[in-house]
Each structure stands twice: as structure tokens, then as C-alpha cells.
């Protein structure tokens, strides 16, 4: 049987546990108003961030240029307002919490955090610089590496493009900022070109005139810039011409449509004018002795085949 001292010790231990639980419960009840107040503060600052974004859009959103800068102010300013609200809520909820302690804690692990989130921070900084410098905007068609498509969204961390075959590609902003980037719709006009071959027997100037007339009949060809047709080389079977013209809308859809229209117009003009678009031609030199040997062997084989008697028995039996 347990002694009276052991019973007394167990009772005291149980009593201390009960007292600690009561103190925690009472402290929790006392902190409930602070929790509610902190939640209210977070919601207030959240609504303030929304209002800030709307004010920035009303002030700067009407400008056609620097639309990306509006996004920078909206996202960075809104995130900063929410961060301040969270800090105030933490101070209200946790009595011993101060922003100085948070900064100290971040300072202790800053090196480890820097290595762990190096790529993330690099993409964030690149995203902010892209939004400020604005080399492209939402709706532009760009080429980055092996990807080409229309910009759908420019976020702080990455940029989303939609390829011409309907796929979504997310490109890290650091790749866009540090690598070569082609913006196909940066300017209103865009130059296209098409290689055309004519026969050696055809007149180059006559073919050039037919091509220019075909370009003039094409609605997609810009009338503000002069097209050109130049001879570029003596091909294996044709005279190579390079046709260049401009379009007013540099999007991919208009590029494809204009190329098709010009191709059809040039083909129709050549057919009407009798200008030849030659097939590849190969010349066989029969003066070589090896060719003569092969021809002689073929003639000998033909003579042997024709001198054989025809077996008519099989044909009669059939």
C-alpha cells in the first residue's frame, strides 16, 4: 500500500497540473479579445491593400504606357500593407513580440535563408526589374529560348505565356531578364520574307515586276513601306530571289495569313506570265569510263535475255 507521503505527493502533483491548466485556460480567455482584435486588424489592412490597388489603378491605370509599373505599385504596395498589418496583429496577440526580435531572428538565419532562397529572391528581383523597365507587356508575343507565344501574365516570380498551339509555359523571370529576348510585337510594322526560285531561262527583271505586282494585290502587305525583290544567288536549278515586305500587324496570325496570301499571289502571277519555278535538276556526266562500262554490261544483258527461246509449253498448258 502506498504510504501517506506518497499519496500526498501524488495529490500535490495532480493539484499543480490542475492549477497550471487553469492558468493556461484563464490566460487564453484573457487573450481572446486580443486575438479578435488582431484578426480585425489583419482584415482592416487587407481591405486597405485592396483600396490602395484601386487608387493606384485610378491614378496611373489610364496611361497606356508603363502598365507594368502599375502592377509593381499594386503588388509591392499591397504586400507591404498586409505585412504591416500582420506585424501589428502579432504585437497585439503576443505580448513579448516586437519587430526588433523578428529582425534579430531573421538576422541569425539570414545566411542560411539566403542560400536556400537564392533562386526565389533572384526571380523576385528580376520580376520587379522587368515590371519597371517594361521590355514587354501583357498581350505581346515574345520568343524566349525554345518557347514562343503570347504573354498572359507578368508576376513577381515568373511570367506566363500561351504558345501558339494552346499550351501554357511558365518562365522564371531571371531567365527573361538575363537571357536574350525577342518581342515580335514591340513595333507596329514587321518585315516578312519569302524565298522564290525562277528558271535560268527566265528574265530576272520580268519576274521581279510580276512579284511586285502580286505584292501590290495582297491586302495584308503594308502600303506604307516599299517591298523589295533581290537576287541572292545562283542555285543548283534556279535563280534564287528573296522577296521582302512589311505588314502593319506583327502578330503570328497575321504573319501566317500574309505569307500564305503572298505565296498564292506569286504562284498565280508566275503561272499567268509563263515564268518557270523549276524542280531540282541533276546533271549526269556520261563521259566517264565507268558509265560506259555499265551501259555495255546492260546492253550485253539485254542481248542475252532477247536471244533466249520462249518456252511456250507452259503457256499452252495454262
Amino acid at each position: 500500500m502506498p504510504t501517506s507521503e506518497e499519496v500526498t505527493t501524488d495529490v500535490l502533483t495532480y493539484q499543480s497540473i490542475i492549477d497550471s491548466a487553469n492558468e493556461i485556460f484563464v490566460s487564453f480567455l484573457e487573450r481572446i479579445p486580443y486575438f479578435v482584435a488582431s484578426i480585425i486588424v489583419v482584415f482592416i489592412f487587407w481591405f486597405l491593400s485592396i483600396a490602395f490597388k484601386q487608387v493606384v489603378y485610378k491614378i496611373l491605370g489610364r496611361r497606356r504606357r508603363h502598365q507594368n509599373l502599375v502592377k509593381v505599385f499594386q503588388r509591392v504596395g499591397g504586400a507591404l500593407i498586409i505585412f504591416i498589418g500582420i506585424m501589428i496583429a502579432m504585437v497585439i496577440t503576443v505580448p513579448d513580440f516586437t519587430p526588433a526580435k523578428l529582425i534579430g531572428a531573421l538576422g541569425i538565419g539570414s545566411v542560411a535563408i539566403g542560400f536556400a532562397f537564392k533562386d526565389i529572391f533572384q526571380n523576385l528581383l528580376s520580376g520587379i526589374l522587368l515590371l519597371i523597365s517594361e521590355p514587354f507587356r501583357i498581350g505581346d508575343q515574345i520568343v524566349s529560348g525554345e518557347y514562343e507565344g503570347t504573354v498572359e501574365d507578368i508576376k513577381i516570380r515568373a511570367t506566363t505565356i500561351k504558345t501558339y498551339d494552346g499550351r501554357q509555359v511558365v518562365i522564371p523571370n531571371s531567365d527573361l531578364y538575363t537571357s536574350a529576348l525577342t518581342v515580335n510585337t514591340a513595333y507596329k510594322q514587321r518585315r516578312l520574307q519569302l524565298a522564290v526560285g525562277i528558271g535560268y531561262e527566265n528574265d530576272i527583271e520580268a519576274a521581279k515586276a510580276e512579284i511586285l505586282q502580286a505584292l501590290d494585290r495582297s491586302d495584308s502587305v503594308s502600303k506604307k513601306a516599299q517591298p523589295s525583290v533581290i537576287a541572292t544567288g545562283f542555285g543548283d536549278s534556279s535563280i534564287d530571289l528573296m522577296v521582302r515586305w512589311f505588314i502593319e500587324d506583327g502578330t503570328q496570325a497575321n504573319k501566317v495569313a500574309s505569307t500564305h496570301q503572298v505565296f498564292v499571289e506569286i504562284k498565280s502571277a508566275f503561272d499567268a506570265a509563263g515564268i518557270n519555278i523549276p524542280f531540282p535538276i541533276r546533271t549526269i556526266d556520261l563521259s566517264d569510263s565507268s558509265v560506259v562500262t555499265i551501259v555495255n554490261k546492260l546492253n550485253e544483258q539485254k542481248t542475252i535475255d532477247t536471244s533466249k527461246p520462249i518456252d511456250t509449253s507452259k503457256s499452252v498448258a495454262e
Side-chain angles (χ1 to χ4, degrees):
M1 290 182 62
T3 61
S4 59
E5 293 181 356
E6 293 177 348
V7 173
T8 303
T9 302
D10 293 339
V11 171
L12 292 175
T13 303
Y14 178 75
Q15 186 64 38
S16 63
I17 294 173
I18 295 297
D19 293 339
S20 299
N22 288 332
E23 290 179 1
I24 294 173
F25 182 72
V26 171
S27 299
F28 176 74
L29 292 179
E30 291 177 351
R31 302 305 303 179
I32 285 179
Y34 297 97
F35 284 118
V36 174
S38 63
I39 293 173
I40 294 174
V41 167
V42 171
F43 274 105
I44 290 174
F45 276 84
W46 182 63
F47 283 113
L48 286 176
S49 69
I50 296 176
F52 173 80
K53 293 178 180 179
Q54 292 178 350
V55 170
V56 170
Y57 182 78
K58 288 182 179 179
I59 295 175
L60 302 176
R62 296 179 180 179
R63 301 180 181 179
R64 292 185 177 181
R65 300 189 62 186
H66 303 299
Q67 287 295 317
N68 293 341
L69 192 60
V70 176
K71 291 183 176 293
V72 172
F73 285 131
Q74 287 181 328
R75 292 174 177 174
V76 176
L80 183 61
I81 291 173
I82 293 177
F83 177 76
I84 294 173
I86 292 175
M87 290 295 100
I88 296 175
M90 291 288 291
V91 172
I92 295 174
T93 305
V94 183
D96 297 334
F97 175 81
T98 59
K101 291 182 178 180
L102 177 63
I103 294 173
L106 292 176
I108 295 174
S110 60
V111 177
I113 293 174
F115 280 108
F117 295 94
K118 176 184 176 182
D119 293 337
I120 296 176
F121 292 151
Q122 185 178 1
N123 287 325
L124 290 175
L125 180 59
S126 299
I128 293 174
L129 293 176
L130 283 175
L131 290 170
I132 293 176
S133 60
E134 201 174 32
F136 56 87
R137 297 187 292 269
I138 293 176
D140 279 337
Q141 293 182 348
I142 65 173
V143 181
S144 175
E146 60 181 2
Y147 302 109
E148 180 176 359
T150 305
V151 178
E152 287 190 323
D153 194 10
I154 307 172
K155 298 180 180 179
I156 298 292
R157 189 193 68 83
T159 296
T160 304
I161 68 172
K162 182 179 181 181
T163 60
Y164 302 134
D165 57 356
R167 295 179 297 167
Q168 186 183 74
V169 180
V170 180
I171 305 176
N173 287 329
S174 59
D175 294 345
L176 294 175
Y177 190 75
T178 57
S179 302
L181 177 71
T182 302
V183 184
N184 289 331
T185 53
Y187 304 105
K188 188 175 182 181
Q189 286 187 337
R190 182 177 178 182
R191 194 189 73 178
L192 305 180
Q193 62 183 26
L194 180 66
V196 179
I198 62 173
Y200 276 91
E201 70 277 7
N202 297 126
D203 183 76
I204 296 177
E205 292 300 326
K208 178 179 178 180
E210 292 293 337
I211 293 174
L212 292 176
Q213 292 178 10
L215 292 174
D216 188 62
R217 290 192 298 268
S218 301
D219 298 334
S220 59
V221 177
S222 174
K223 308 303 179 185
K224 299 180 181 179
Q226 186 70 25
S228 64
V229 180
I230 59 174
T232 57
F234 297 98
D236 295 337
S237 56
S238 64
I239 298 292
D240 298 329
L241 305 178
M242 184 61 67
V243 183
R244 294 190 175 102
W245 72 96
F246 286 85
I247 56 177
E248 291 297 327
D249 181 8
T251 59
Q252 181 70 11
N254 195 46
K255 171 193 171 185
V256 174
S258 180
T259 303
H260 173 77
Q261 185 182 25
V262 169
F263 187 92
V264 173
E265 290 290 345
I266 292 176
K267 178 64 169 60
S268 300
F270 278 7
D271 291 342
I275 298 175
N276 181 33
I277 302 177
F279 292 102
I281 299 173
R282 296 292 181 267
T283 302
I284 301 176
D285 186 6
L286 298 178
S287 63
D288 189 83
S289 58
S290 61
V291 176
V292 176
T293 303
I294 294 173
V295 171
N296 292 333
K297 288 184 178 180
L298 290 175
N299 291 331
E300 291 176 1
Q301 185 66 35
K302 183 178 180 181
T303 303
I304 293 172
D305 292 340
T306 55
S307 62
K308 288 182 179 180
I310 303 174
D311 186 6
T312 60
S313 60
K314 184 177 180 181
S315 300
V316 173
E318 291 177 353

